[in-house]
Amino acid sequence: MTTDITAQGGVQKEKSMLLQKAMISANYDALARAHDEGKKVSSTFVPGNLNELLMCFDMVRNLPEINALQSAMRKQTGAYIMEAERAGHSEDVCTYVKSDLGMMAKGSIGPSGQPLPVPDLLLLSYTGCFTFMKWFELVRDQYNCETAMLHVPYQADGKITDNMRQYVVMQLREHIIPSLERVSGIKFDIDRLREHLAESARAEDDLVWVLESAKHKPSPIDAYFGGVYYCGPIFTAFRGAPETTEYYREVRREVEQRIELGLGPVTPEGVLDEERVRVVVEGPPNWTHFRDFWKMFYDEGAVVVASSYTKVGGLYDYGFRHDPDNPLETLADYCLGCYTNHSLPARVNMLCDYMDKYSADGFLVNSIKSCNSFSAGQLLLLREVEQRTGKPAGFIETDLVDPRYFSSANVKNRLESYFQMIAQKKTRHGVAA
Amino acid sequence: MALDNIIERCQDLYDDLRFSYVKEWKAAQPGRHAIGYMPVYVPRELIHAAGMLPVGILGGGDQLDVIHGDAYYQSYICRIPRSTIELALTGRLDDLDGMLFPSTCDVIRNLSGMWQLKFGDKLIRYFDVPQDFDPAVGGKYYVYELQSLRDELAQLAGRPITDDDLRQSIALYNENRAVISELYAYRSREPWQVLTHELYLLLRAGMILPVDEHTQLLRDYMVAARNTKRPVRDNCRVVMNGLFCEQPPLGLLKSIELAGCYVVDDDFLLVARWLLDDVPLAGDPLQNLCDAFLTRSLETSCKFVPQQKDKGAYLLASVRDNHAEGVIFAAPSFCDPALLDRPMLQRVLTENNIPYTAFKYSENSGQMQPIREQAGTFADSIKLWSAA
């Protein structure tokens, strides 16, 4: 038996990666054609993304965070950010926002090279990130388009109360759905929503299976760098669509195959030969140097077995599934349950749990300058996880899409030292045992 | 009381980072509780109605040596959370029986979690206010949250907080806001009489003194100020914006004044002015607090503005109502709400031909010369080149 890996432009890719690439390209095509075809476009965010609901109104979905990260991978964001800063946006604030605004200022050509349409609606799912609110106010300031605000309360005490759930449901019923009906001209059909939600739940089952496959030794996946590929469709414009369910079946097939062969994760340079270090990572990745960053891990045999970033679009591995029997309530629970909407103590508990369940050797924080939602409190979080698990923790700083804030030599130096320290520690314990 | 004595008292309260006043207030009557709160808004009426002292926790200013706090924050996060943690770690907040963290931004939000991890034996609450201002939706949610806070405070107090308790507190805070409005109006009319750094110190005193005592202090100040003739200078009239969370050093406010600016409106310590009208005393007090929040509260960067046409309208109104000639944007470094909002507010000002200038500060900024030069140049440019 062999694995289904192909080389594209010198990079090793699985079939599922190619499938995903095609899905993303198709969405950019749909966005470019949307207004010519009389379709309406909604911009919205990843956490608290109401994709199933938007599909009920045949709206084409545009996700500015994804545009920014895709642009970063194509080395376009540095110019966009500087354009935004020239226009008066502070050097201190989120670079996702500045990349988006800079891209708009330069003609709104998306990462695929096609034009991005002016959105007909900004669906502001205000979930776990204060900046979202300002971001869409800034976009509205440019386009003067309708904005539908969904305020999602923060889970400060580690639980969803009935008051929180009902608040979100009422906003959906009284404001969000009427706005979508008005903008799209399509009447809301709750049975259509149920169908999409059922489809989502099927894909979610397979996603969780894939993420949890990292409990195997060696792990057949990398749950951070590889994880972003696995989470891409379900976090963005595709959750609730049949092709997404098929995508996750395919990912699962590939991972099952690797487990059967005892293989490690697929990296851009092929299957990882030897898993030397297993780590849990907190925080988003850097996108401007994504491949270089990943290489710093796999060159040292470091595999990320669990990550918090792959939970920003939902904590499916803690049991949440979209529930077609309670369509609006399940959307509310989904929004309330995204990772950055959880309190710091809840995040610490979750990360410690991952350290244990995934038999990790270390805990690493990639602290992102742009993202206070993730980053504020991470140094305490790091100490708590280290103290509770007794495993060594590491800390690096990068940014999402600002190339000026990725210091390759510095990050590499730190990571190498950290991974070597863990490897030595493991060896010592191995000898002692 | 003489004006100098009033300001000296406020300065003493401002300088006391050990919160001795809280200790004394609690010692005066055993069983008393004090509850800290951070910017921007919490309903202090509820704390007061529980018989407790609301205490504004506004960071460490420029006099606190932050040693431990820096180990909790990366360099790209604002200063107020690190000095607040420093205050707590060094025992300066030990007399507080609880802390409220409003939904100001992600940093203050996450600080509530840090407090849970570090000081979990006290009442700790993240206070989420609605961003949906429909009374039937956001209002319903908010009344429940107010009730929930009321229950927690009552539990700590060991007695229920009755509707009458609440009405009494609401009345006192109504009075306090009315007197603060009077003070602001006085400064706007005769800014040479009410110096901004004095007004700021007076507001700061209201972050620690019981509300009725603070109201009297404000009244005393206005009487004393009216009896003190101060020189009228050829300053320009400006509105300051962006200072609602991390506090400006006092030296910054003095520098702005020395540079030739009369500040005629600002967004200091908004908790004291958040509700724009008197909260009605008749009827359900929680519902009344809720309605005031939803329909008659200040606009600031921490609140969503549902309609594009309303964005920045409050700043424009402030400039017009106070006959200001320009706006000074002063935002704390790394302050997401203020810095993300600023380009939109600047756009509104540009469209209305209102000049502005902008800079950043930290609560411990020590070098004021560049700020003084920038504000002075701004003031000169207004005086020399404005149409008037």
Side-chain angles (χ1 to χ4, degrees), chain B residues 49-156:
Chain B
M52 300 175 185
L53 183 69
V55 182
I57 300 301
L58 303 156
D62 56 359
Q63 296 302 311
L64 183 72
D65 203 2
V66 173
I67 298 163
H68 311 282
D70 278 340
Y72 287 82
Y73 285 102
Q74 301 90 318
S75 56
Y76 52 77
I77 287 176
C78 58
R79 167 108 178 162
I80 187 171
R82 64 188 79 224
S83 63
T84 302
I85 279 274
E86 183 79 22
L87 289 172
L89 292 171
T90 51
R92 290 171 164 94
L93 303 183
D94 284 356
D95 287 310
L96 298 180
D97 302 284
M99 274 290 280
L100 304 184
F101 298 87
S103 48
T104 301
C105 68
D106 293 334
V107 173
I108 301 286
R109 185 198 70 180
N110 286 8
L111 186 58
S112 71
M114 294 174 72
W115 228 260
Q116 287 171 333
L117 289 167
K118 296 292 295 179
F119 315 106
D121 55 332
K122 296 194 174 180
L123 185 155
I124 299 162
R125 190 178 168 97
Y126 173 71
F127 187 70
D128 217 347
V129 295
Q131 297 287 356
D132 179 308
F133 305 108
D134 178 348
V137 180
K140 200 171 170 190
Y141 164 78
Y142 189 44
V143 167
Y144 188 94
E145 292 300 303
L146 287 169
Q147 180 61 45
S148 168
L149 178 59
R150 178 187 190 168
D151 292 344
E152 280 184 64
L153 291 167
Q155 196 180 353
L156 180 64

Side-chain angles (χ1 to χ4, degrees), chain A residues 89 91-92 128 130 134 137 140-141 144 151 153-154 156 163 167 170 175 344-345 367 372-373 375-376 383, chain B residues 72 74 76 106 109-110 128-129 131-132 134 136 141 144-145 301 305-306 308 311 334 336 341 347 360:
Chain A
H89 295 276
E91 65 271 27
D92 290 357
F130 173 85
K134 294 289 122 183
E137 280 191 356
R140 184 182 65 182
D141 208 61
N144 202 16
H151 174 213
Y154 182 60
N163 190 44
Y167 175 43
M170 282 173 71
H175 300 145
L344 221 56
S367 185
N372 284 343
S373 180
S375 301
R383 283 198 285 273
Chain B
Y72 287 82
Q74 301 90 318
Y76 52 77
D106 293 334
R109 185 198 70 180
N110 286 8
D128 217 347
V129 295
Q131 297 287 356
D132 179 308
D134 178 348
Y141 164 78
Y144 188 94
E145 292 300 303
S301 310
V305 177
Q308 169 66 14
K311 188 71 199 175
F334 303 107
D336 277 346
D341 229 25
R347 196 256 311 146
K360 292 189 290 185

Side-chain angles (χ1 to χ4, degrees), chain B residues 103-349:
Chain B
S103 48
T104 301
C105 68
D106 293 334
V107 173
I108 301 286
R109 185 198 70 180
N110 286 8
L111 186 58
S112 71
M114 294 174 72
W115 228 260
Q116 287 171 333
L117 289 167
K118 296 292 295 179
F119 315 106
D121 55 332
K122 296 194 174 180
L123 185 155
I124 299 162
R125 190 178 168 97
Y126 173 71
F127 187 70
D128 217 347
V129 295
Q131 297 287 356
D132 179 308
F133 305 108
D134 178 348
V137 180
K140 200 171 170 190
Y141 164 78
Y142 189 44
V143 167
Y144 188 94
E145 292 300 303
L146 287 169
Q147 180 61 45
S148 168
L149 178 59
R150 178 187 190 168
D151 292 344
E152 280 184 64
L153 291 167
Q155 196 180 353
L156 180 64
R159 65 164 178 85
I161 302 170
T162 67
D163 282 358
D164 281 341
D165 291 335
L166 259 172
R167 288 190 191 101
Q168 204 180 358
S169 300
I170 287 170
L172 289 171
Y173 278 96
N174 280 347
E175 193 184 357
N176 187 256
R177 279 194 302 276
V179 177
I180 290 173
S181 291
E182 203 184 318
L183 176 65
Y184 268 72
Y186 180 23
R187 180 183 63 168
S188 181
R189 275 193 315 274
E190 301 173 46
W192 53 91
Q193 285 295 103
V194 181
L195 302 180
T196 286
H197 72 272
E198 290 183 357
L199 176 138
Y200 175 77
L201 285 170
L202 285 160
L203 292 182
R204 279 294 291 256
M207 300 296 110
I208 191 163
L209 292 177
V211 60
D212 44 350
E213 199 178 325
H214 182 238
T215 303
Q216 189 55 50
L217 185 80
L218 294 169
R219 286 190 171 125
D220 291 346
Y221 174 84
M222 281 191 281
V223 169
R226 284 184 182 114
N227 291 330
T228 309
K229 288 290 161 222
R230 287 171 150 170
V232 180
R233 299 182 195 282
D234 184 27
N235 285 0
C236 73
R237 299 168 63 90
V238 299
V239 170
M240 290 193 78
N241 181 277
L243 310 94
F244 49 83
C245 184
E246 183 171 317
Q247 300 300 295
L250 209 51
L252 187 151
L253 302 181
K254 288 178 180 171
S255 296
I256 297 286
E257 292 180 305
L258 286 169
C261 298
Y262 281 136
V263 180
V264 291
D265 199 11
D266 56 62
D267 56 0
F268 305 151
L269 303 164
L270 292 180
V271 66
R273 298 192 294 142
W274 189 263
L275 304 179
L276 295 169
D277 306 315
D278 277 358
V279 179
L281 300 179
D284 179 350
L286 289 192
Q287 189 63 52
N288 292 342
L289 281 171
C290 168
D291 292 344
F293 176 88
L294 294 177
T295 59
R296 289 292 295 158
S297 60
L298 283 165
E299 185 190 324
T300 184
S301 310
C302 308
K303 271 172 77 176
F304 178 59
V305 177
Q307 300 295 326
Q308 169 66 14
K309 66 180 173 50
D310 297 328
K311 188 71 199 175
Y314 79 100
L315 185 57
L316 212 49
S318 170
V319 170
R320 284 180 179 158
D321 295 348
N322 293 291
H323 309 290
E325 297 160 284
V327 172
I328 294 179
F329 290 99
S333 295
F334 303 107
C335 174
D336 277 346
L339 292 170
L340 286 162
D341 229 25
R342 201 168 69 184
M344 291 182 275
L345 299 178
Q346 289 176 340
R347 196 256 311 146
V348 171
L349 295 182

Side-chain angles (χ1 to χ4, degrees), chain A residues 410-427:
Chain A
N410 193 13
V411 173
K412 190 170 192 289
N413 189 28
R414 278 195 176 210
L415 285 176
E416 277 177 2
S417 308
Y418 177 63
F419 293 141
Q420 284 163 17
M421 181 263 287
I422 294 177
Q424 276 178 358
K425 218 171 169 175
K426 277 177 75 174
T427 311

Side-chain angles (χ1 to χ4, degrees), chain A residues 20-35 37 41 60-74 76 80 100 103 108-117 236-238:
Chain A
Q20 182 177 152
K21 196 174 175 188
M23 289 163 79
I24 292 169
S25 296
N27 197 55
Y28 280 120
D29 290 345
L31 282 165
R33 293 194 313 264
H35 285 163
E37 293 176 354
V41 173
V60 187
R61 285 84 63 196
N62 176 41
L63 290 111
E65 297 138 297
I66 303 303
N67 297 340
L69 74 87
Q70 291 280 347
S71 298
M73 287 173 146
R74 292 163 173 80
Q76 294 165 334
Y80 293 158
D100 193 34
M103 184 191 71
S108 271
I109 302 300
S112 66
Q114 296 158 288
L116 287 171
T236 60
F238 312 103

